[in-house]
Amino acid sequence: MFLPISVVEKSESSFSAVKIHSRNVSHYKDIENYVLDIGEEAVFVPKISEKFRRDVGRDMNLLNQTVLHFGYRKPQLALVFGELLVDSQQLLMATIAAALLEIGYEIQVFSIEDGPGRNVWKNLRVPVTVIPTCDKAENAVDWLNYDGIIASSLEVKGAFYCFSQEPFKSIPLIWIIHENALAYRSRQYTASGQLELLNDWRRAFNRSTVIVFPNYALPMIYSTFDAGNFYVIPGSPAESLEADAFMALEKDDLRINMGYGRKDLIIAIVGSQFMYKGMWLGHAIVLQALSPLLADFPSSRDNSHAQLRIIVHSGELTNNYSVALETMSRSLKYPRGIIEHIAGDLNADSVIGTADVVIYGSILEEQSFPEILMKAMCFEKPIIAPDIPMIRKYVDDRVNGYLFPKDNWRVLRQIVLEVISEGNISPLARNIASIGRSTAKNLMVSEAIEGYASLVQNIIQFPSEVVPPNAVSEISANVKEQWQWHLFDSIPNLTYQNRITRSHTFLDKYEDQWNDSKKNRPATTVSSTDSFVHSIWEEEKLIQMAIRAKRREDEEMKDRTDQPHRTWEEVYRNAKKADRLKNDLHERDDGELERTGQPLCIYEPYLGEGSWPFLHQKSLYRGIGLSTKGRRRGRDDVDASSRLPLLTDTYYRDVLREYGAFFAIANRIDHLHRNAWVGFQSWRATARKASLSRTAENALLGAIQSKKFGDALYFWVRMDMDPQNPLQKDFWSFCDALNAGNCKFAFSETMRRMYGLKNDTDSLPPMPIDGDTWSVMQSWTLPTRSFLEFVMFSRMFVDALDMQMYDEHYSTGHCPLSLSKDKYCYSRLLELLVNVWAYHSARRMVYVNPETGVMQEQHKFKSRRGKMWIKWFSYSTLKSMDEDLAELSDSEDPSRHWLWPLTGEVFWQGVYERERNLRQKEKEKRKQKSLEKRNRMRRRHRQQVLGKYVKPPPEVVESSNSSLLDLL
């Protein structure tokens, strides 16, 4: 394995997987011939391990309250595969999953293709779901249900689109790669100019939170894709499986195929995966120690006797090293033909399977146990290796292998003579090799399990309602002592798949699909730079369109508050003008025409393409995109950011979530919504199979039209059936569980600040426990008038909440309503706010069964007597507070951070009077200009007539006409 130049030249910040200490680096022209001049002090030091350690030094206590784990649900993990094969990757993942299940995780398996490996997960009682595609509703998955995702192998690339779109881009993703095929293909992509294909893979590497490799060589050859997220966890059953499969196929004819005799004694000298200039020294030491064996093998021209054969195996070396070996063999007086040099990783199995003894000839300090040495043990070969710390950790001298001091070749010679006696392997050496095979079969299981379990806990930030998993040290010893071989015993016709062959087959197929899709694209291609500039230009055009639309709306607002009597012609012209402006906003199509006669329109807020499969296409529903990017094409979805410029700020778009859609709809609502009722439904309710069925929709429309419950809040996702509330806790306990134990405190502080109450006043509205339930997931409907009143209350509440938390949260990312940094800080508390407003504003609350449409009134008025804070939530109180804030905004410093004016319309009596005075002044100004114009016209100088036309007598006219006729 060659050390790429990028590893040597890149800084520690750009290549995080391995740091190399050396005294000298030799530079060659060819990048693949880079070698490292490493002496005895050379080590490969991993630099990534500290990166994924959680920052626990800072305890978030912004509100002087402690954050708590309530433990209402177990942490959820999704394991994603390309295909459920029976291979080393499946065995590794099953072993890790068994350990994670034991310490408290819940796991769900997803796979692009089905396979015999399904039985493995059935034995573990882990549910399996096959997802061929993720852009269709029947295959779509709400990845937000999972605290983390673990993807295995290169074949999972097809599923990356599923969790690479908003709103799933922030979910922690661990990608485990054990194949080197893509690393070598990437060189071909670069050489052949297939940069688009290379960038497609690079995007997958960038999306991953961590890329996990089983050794320190793979990060080197994958340096093209390095995004600072490489990690190494040694340990895999691949060597054992590959050895068994290879020997089953090549057991009889292997030596013959390699050109050796059946009785020949073959010694294989193997070494480190890294090429360095000092490696010739290790090979020279081993060859010198083997020289006494020449006396036991007399030379024979006809090869009738057993011969001594020495194979020196190395990575991708050039022919120069073969010449160096010939020079060493001549100097050590080896007969010609005894020493053979074989290079290449693909030949390693053949070399080890053919050999009688394997000697590890590298003196390089290793960071993990050498894989080739582990493979030799799996082939049940006696191994002889230097006693460097990483090898000494797993090999006991003369128990499962032989060790020699790396600087004493005499001890190595003595060990060789013990292992090989009279031209044959000694019985003791064969017994040691047998013990070594049983050791290697489950070598480094404990390290792999602990490494993955620790990594998962370090990169995943568990919310407060999650039961923290047990410590990694609590994994039982019987789980860590061997791979889960027994899970594969029940699979009929068991055959292990070769990962190397499989990975190359997959890459061939993926390249063919990529090339076919490229042929179907338009002939005109755009460079990446031009595409980037084009995207910026398109975004700028959308912003300018939004500004123009808002300017038009502001012009229309001038005549809303004071409408003078006008002629029918003026009314008709204004109506046509408004109609044209609406068409300019591209918000009118057949869907809007179908909604015109309906009493209800349900809006579905969404962010990004990942939520598209969960949105409805009926006329009853209408999407509202929280961002200009990621909006559905060909649909009449509302652009929330154009209606409410605050949402162009990603900070507030994240902390408000659905409330951004509420504020956008309420802002100048008569320009958009003309239905008597307005509703909202979270796309996550659809993903949870909790959205309204056709029967429930008809029942809801019937209740609205018949005014069965009057001014009521209808909801269809109930709190006591929420997966986050399996213990069915009361309202405030559930809110505390979602918000790190600070919900009640934050709510009371917000109410106190909002209403200007004293510190000793009880400001937490009671939400009694009466056996009924509450609304969750922002799936409800209200009369449009009541919705505007709710938004009026919500704007003031959110503003007071923002005053408490903005400074600290914006600057550090730490939120008192979460156990860790959280960009969705306010959203979990705001999810329950509609219940508080509806209960204390004396609205009826009705639960609609989303399947049957059966309605049940919750918290009936009789049970509310004496518990509602009606004065605080009455319309008159809220309206006066709203006008006070609007009046304050006129005199407030515009540079001060204040959220309330940015969340909707600002209006009070003074605004009305000011606008009326402004219109009166403009009217007087126009009248004065008209008067001045008329005066100027009267006073202007008129030109005197220079001449006068005299009409000729009739006889003159007749004579001239007769002359003309004579001429004709």
Side-chain angles (χ1 to χ4, degrees), residues 641-659:
S641 58
S642 66
R643 294 191 57 81
L644 191 70
L646 173 68
L647 297 181
T648 58
D649 185 345
T650 56
Y651 172 80
Y652 279 111
R653 186 175 65 211
D654 290 336
V655 297
L656 294 178
R657 303 288 288 272
E658 287 87 353
Y659 270 74

Side-chain angles (χ1 to χ4, degrees), residues 38-40 267-272 274 276-290 310-314 321 325 328 332 334 339 359-364 384-386 388 404-410 412-413 416:
I38 297 182
E40 296 179 0
I267 300 175
I269 304 176
V270 298
S272 172
F274 303 106
Y276 57 99
K277 279 193 173 181
M279 97 180 188
W280 65 269
L281 180 60
H283 291 165
I285 292 175
V286 174
L287 291 174
Q288 187 175 9
L290 294 176
I310 299 174
I311 303 174
V312 179
H313 176 266
S314 57
Y321 197 74
L325 282 176
M328 281 190 285
L332 294 174
Y334 274 90
I339 300 176
I359 301 176
Y360 192 74
S362 173
I363 58 176
L364 181 68
I384 304 173
I388 57 180
F404 66 91
K406 64 179 181 179
D407 54 353
N408 193 335
W409 63 273
R410 291 183 177 85
L412 174 59
R413 173 183 293 181
V416 169

Side-chain angles (χ1 to χ4, degrees), residues 68-123:
L68 303 172
H69 270 295
F70 287 79
Y72 289 171
R73 68 171 178 89
K74 292 183 177 181
Q76 305 284 326
L77 292 178
L79 304 187
V80 186
F81 298 92
E83 186 175 356
L84 295 176
L85 300 173
V86 180
D87 57 11
S88 58
Q89 287 279 79
Q90 205 78 205
L91 179 56
L92 171 66
M93 297 304 298
T95 304
I96 296 169
L100 294 176
L101 289 170
E102 187 180 46
I103 59 176
Y105 290 89
E106 284 190 357
I107 295 176
Q108 168 82 42
V109 169
F110 297 93
S111 180
I112 299 176
E113 298 181 19
D114 206 346
R118 175 187 282 267
N119 292 330
V120 175
W121 302 105
K122 183 179 179 181
N123 295 335

Side-chain angles (χ1 to χ4, degrees), residues 469-746:
N470 297 331
V472 176
S473 59
E474 297 184 22
I475 301 175
S476 59
N478 60 338
V479 174
K480 296 192 294 184
E481 64 184 10
Q482 64 179 354
W483 306 109
Q484 299 291 315
W485 300 100
H486 65 281
L487 296 176
F488 292 78
D489 296 338
S490 61
I491 300 177
N493 302 322
L494 179 62
T495 54
Y496 288 100
Q497 297 288 331
N498 186 288
R499 290 301 312 174
I500 298 176
T501 305
R502 177 70 185 175
S503 60
H504 283 284
T505 302
F506 166 75
L507 288 176
D508 292 337
K509 181 179 178 181
Y510 190 82
E511 289 172 14
D512 292 340
Q513 293 176 350
W514 178 271
N515 293 331
D516 291 341
S517 64
K518 188 176 181 181
K519 291 178 182 178
N520 295 331
R521 296 174 193 169
T524 56
T525 58
V526 183
S527 66
S528 58
T529 305
D530 293 341
S531 178
F532 178 71
V533 174
H534 179 72
S535 64
I536 295 178
W537 174 241
E538 289 295 325
E539 184 176 355
E540 178 64 22
K541 286 199 299 184
L542 291 174
I543 293 174
Q544 294 299 326
M545 288 172 58
I547 292 173
R548 288 195 296 270
K550 185 177 182 303
R551 188 180 297 119
R552 295 190 194 103
E553 291 182 357
D554 291 338
E555 292 175 356
E556 290 182 4
M557 283 293 294
K558 294 178 180 179
D559 298 327
R560 289 182 60 194
T561 55
D562 186 11
Q563 292 281 355
H565 294 289
R566 298 182 180 182
T567 63
W568 280 111
E569 289 76 11
E570 292 175 328
V571 173
Y572 179 78
R573 283 198 302 269
N574 288 339
K576 293 296 290 182
K577 179 181 178 182
D579 217 15
R580 287 194 300 271
L581 293 177
K582 190 172 183 77
N583 286 331
D584 289 343
L585 290 174
H586 303 286
E587 291 185 359
R588 191 177 197 181
D589 68 349
D590 295 340
E592 183 176 355
L593 295 177
E594 293 176 6
R595 284 189 292 271
T596 302
Q598 296 178 168
L600 169 66
C601 177
I602 299 177
Y603 295 93
E604 294 183 301
Y606 68 92
L607 177 65
E609 298 182 21
S611 53
W612 286 1
F614 305 104
L615 301 178
H616 288 78
Q617 313 246 348
K618 304 176 185 178
S619 61
L620 180 62
Y621 300 89
R622 189 176 188 184
I624 173 169
L626 298 179
S627 174
T628 301
K629 297 180 179 179
R631 288 178 59 197
R632 292 187 295 176
R633 293 174 290 274
R635 304 294 301 175
D636 66 330
D637 295 348
V638 180
D639 185 4
S641 58
S642 66
R643 294 191 57 81
L644 191 70
L646 173 68
L647 297 181
T648 58
D649 185 345
T650 56
Y651 172 80
Y652 279 111
R653 186 175 65 211
D654 290 336
V655 297
L656 294 178
R657 303 288 288 272
E658 287 87 353
Y659 270 74
F662 300 167
F663 296 157
I665 296 296
N667 188 32
R668 300 176 175 86
I669 190 171
D670 54 342
H671 289 184
L672 174 69
H673 180 80
R674 294 181 176 85
N675 305 86
W677 286 65
V678 60
F680 292 88
Q681 179 172 268
S682 172
W683 62 267
R684 299 197 65 195
T686 306
R688 194 180 292 180
K689 311 299 182 184
S691 59
L692 293 173
S693 65
R694 185 178 296 275
T695 303
E697 291 171 0
N698 294 333
L700 178 60
L701 292 174
I704 289 174
Q705 290 174 332
S706 63
K707 301 181 180 180
K708 182 177 180 179
F709 294 97
D711 187 358
L713 170 75
Y714 293 91
F715 66 95
W716 48 91
V717 184
R718 50 193 298 161
M719 188 183 77
D720 56 355
M721 298 186 68
D722 192 293
Q724 299 176 103
N725 189 24
L727 302 180
Q728 297 186 1
K729 292 293 184 178
D730 63 275
F731 182 87
W732 289 119
S733 298
F734 176 65
C735 188
D736 271 340
L738 294 180
N739 295 279
N742 285 330
C743 173
K744 289 187 288 187
F745 181 80

Side-chain angles (χ1 to χ4, degrees), residues 421-432:
S421 175
E422 297 181 357
N424 295 307
I425 305 300
S426 67
L428 177 61
R430 293 186 184 278
N431 184 49
I432 289 176

Side-chain angles (χ1 to χ4, degrees), residues 246-247 249-268 297 305-309 311 340 349-358 381-382 423-425 430:
F246 185 85
M247 293 305 295
L249 293 175
E250 303 286 349
K251 184 176 182 179
D252 297 331
D253 301 327
L254 182 59
R255 287 200 170 199
I256 303 301
N257 294 336
M258 294 284 291
Y260 304 120
R262 296 184 182 275
K263 296 182 180 181
D264 289 350
L265 178 68
I266 303 174
I267 300 175
F297 295 91
H305 301 286
Q307 300 293 318
L308 174 66
R309 297 297 182 91
I311 303 174
E340 181 181 3
D349 290 348
S350 299
V351 170
I352 296 174
T354 305
D356 295 296
V357 180
V358 176
K381 306 296 181 180
N424 295 307
I425 305 300
R430 293 186 184 278

